[in-house]
Amino acid sequence: MSVLLEAKGVSYRSGGRMLVEVVDLSIASGSFTIVIGPNGAGKSTLLRILCGELSPTEGEVRLDGQLLRSLPAWRLAHSRAVMPQASDLSFPFTVFEVASLGVEGIGRGLSRSDRQRFVLDALAQADVMHLAHRNYQTLSGGERQRVHFARVLAQLQAGRTVESRQMLFLDEPIASLDLKHQLALLQTAKSLAQGGLAVMVVLHDLQLAAGMGDDLVLMHGGRLVTRGRPETVLTPPMLTEIFGVNLIPSVLPPSPWTLAPAGLRSDAAWSG
């Protein structure tokens, strides 16, 4: 797999605080990378830097070999799609109209019917086709999340007519979802990576990260602590040091572990 996105010495300071500090990270096409870490670790800030929403105060980010800050907005829109933690809309759009925002002005040589097909395909993938004519503002938080997932899927499909090497950024995409849709969204994203897309996901759920991720990036205090497969990153010493929890063997899926607050006896374990 060839490197698509590369950050070198990236730092970000705001309000006198260093939120991200000297991070080196490369993301390859076809990779499924999950960023984990406690609250305030710098995960979302790093994602916003890598997708071009924030400019690093130090260091540089390159997308397909070109400086990210030098790329025009139209190029970025075709090369990467971003699903933030929350997206507020104050207009009474339908679900179909919100998902269609992903294809507006995106793509080359596409007819109106092509764009509609991309949106319908994306709504089906996100399991919100049955909500297509509903007012977006009447939806639950989880349903809104799935609509925005459809929006970025449609954007990627349209953008692929211009850029074949693309990346998807997902910032806590499953926070409002039930378990069925958490697993479905992550599996869809992983399938896209298996098809050649570079995918970066910020997650809090360590069990899902361990069960779904091939490549984990552990952040703490704005720094990249370690990176690798779940079994090399989520070790008992690392979990105790970074998260303040003890790792206890378990047969519970999707991870081979159960978590307990550090200092408690093993029989007081709780499922994370």
Side-chain angles (χ1 to χ4, degrees):
M1 296 186 291
S2 59
V3 172
L4 177 61
L5 187 81
E6 187 172 22
K8 293 184 177 180
V10 165
S11 297
Y12 184 79
R13 183 185 297 273
S14 179
R17 294 179 59 237
M18 189 69 82
L19 303 182
V20 171
E21 189 171 359
V22 196
V23 169
D24 294 320
L25 182 66
S26 61
I27 305 291
S29 295
S31 63
F32 186 70
T33 302
I34 298 179
V35 184
I36 58 173
N39 292 338
K43 304 182 298 295
S44 293
T45 302
L46 177 63
L47 182 144
R48 294 173 67 192
I49 292 170
L50 296 181
C51 75
E53 183 180 334
L54 294 177
S55 295
T57 49
E58 297 174 28
E60 65 178 35
V61 180
R62 291 183 178 271
L63 179 64
D64 214 4
Q66 295 184 269
L67 281 174
L68 192 64
R69 65 174 180 268
S70 70
L71 296 177
W74 70 265
R75 171 81 183 279
L76 283 177
H78 289 85
S79 300
R80 60 96 179 98
V82 185
M83 182 177 166
Q85 288 188 36
S87 300
D88 293 325
L89 286 174
S90 56
F91 299 99
F93 291 157
T94 67
V95 165
F96 182 85
E97 289 171 333
V98 172
S100 296
L101 295 175
V103 299
E104 290 297 325
I106 304 294
R108 179 183 299 150
L110 296 176
S111 66
R112 180 179 179 83
S113 62
D114 289 332
R115 297 180 190 278
Q116 290 180 338
R117 176 168 50 83
F118 290 160
V119 173
L120 293 174
D121 288 346
L123 290 173
Q125 278 189 284
D127 193 24
V128 284
M129 176 70 84
H130 61 292
L131 302 174
H133 300 295
R134 278 272 299 274
N135 184 328
Y136 172 84
Q137 294 176 315
T138 67
L139 303 182
S140 69
E143 289 169 335
R144 292 184 183 194
Q145 283 286 88
R146 284 150 54 200
V147 172
H148 283 290
F149 186 52
R151 174 182 56 77
V152 296
L153 292 178
Q155 179 185 341
L156 290 169
Q157 278 192 282
R160 205 166 295 132
T161 62
V162 176
E163 293 288 346
S164 60
R165 285 162 58 82
Q166 296 176 302
M167 185 159 184
L168 174 61
F169 295 91
L170 302 170
D171 191 2
E172 288 293 345
I174 63 171
S176 302
L177 302 184
D178 56 42
L179 182 57
K180 170 187 172 181
H181 290 105
Q182 287 181 3
L183 296 174
L185 187 151
L186 291 176
Q187 189 56 61
T188 298
K190 189 166 186 175
S191 296
L192 291 172
Q194 291 168 344
L197 192 75
V199 180
M200 179 177 177
V201 188
V202 170
L203 283 185
H204 269 107
D205 191 314
L206 298 185
Q207 284 194 315
L208 280 178
M212 300 290 293
D214 302 318
D215 178 30
L216 301 189
V217 170
L218 176 59
M219 298 282 295
H220 182 56
R223 288 183 172 272
L224 195 161
V225 178
T226 188
R227 178 183 188 177
R229 293 192 58 80
E231 61 270 22
T232 65
V233 172
L234 297 177
T235 62
M238 190 64 71
L239 279 237
T240 299
E241 177 185 350
I242 302 300
F243 294 95
V245 295
N246 291 327
L247 193 64
I248 300 171
S250 170
V251 295
L252 295 176
S255 163
W257 307 309
T258 299
L259 300 176
L264 295 185
R265 298 182 1 237
S266 61
D267 58 1
W270 56 276
S271 295

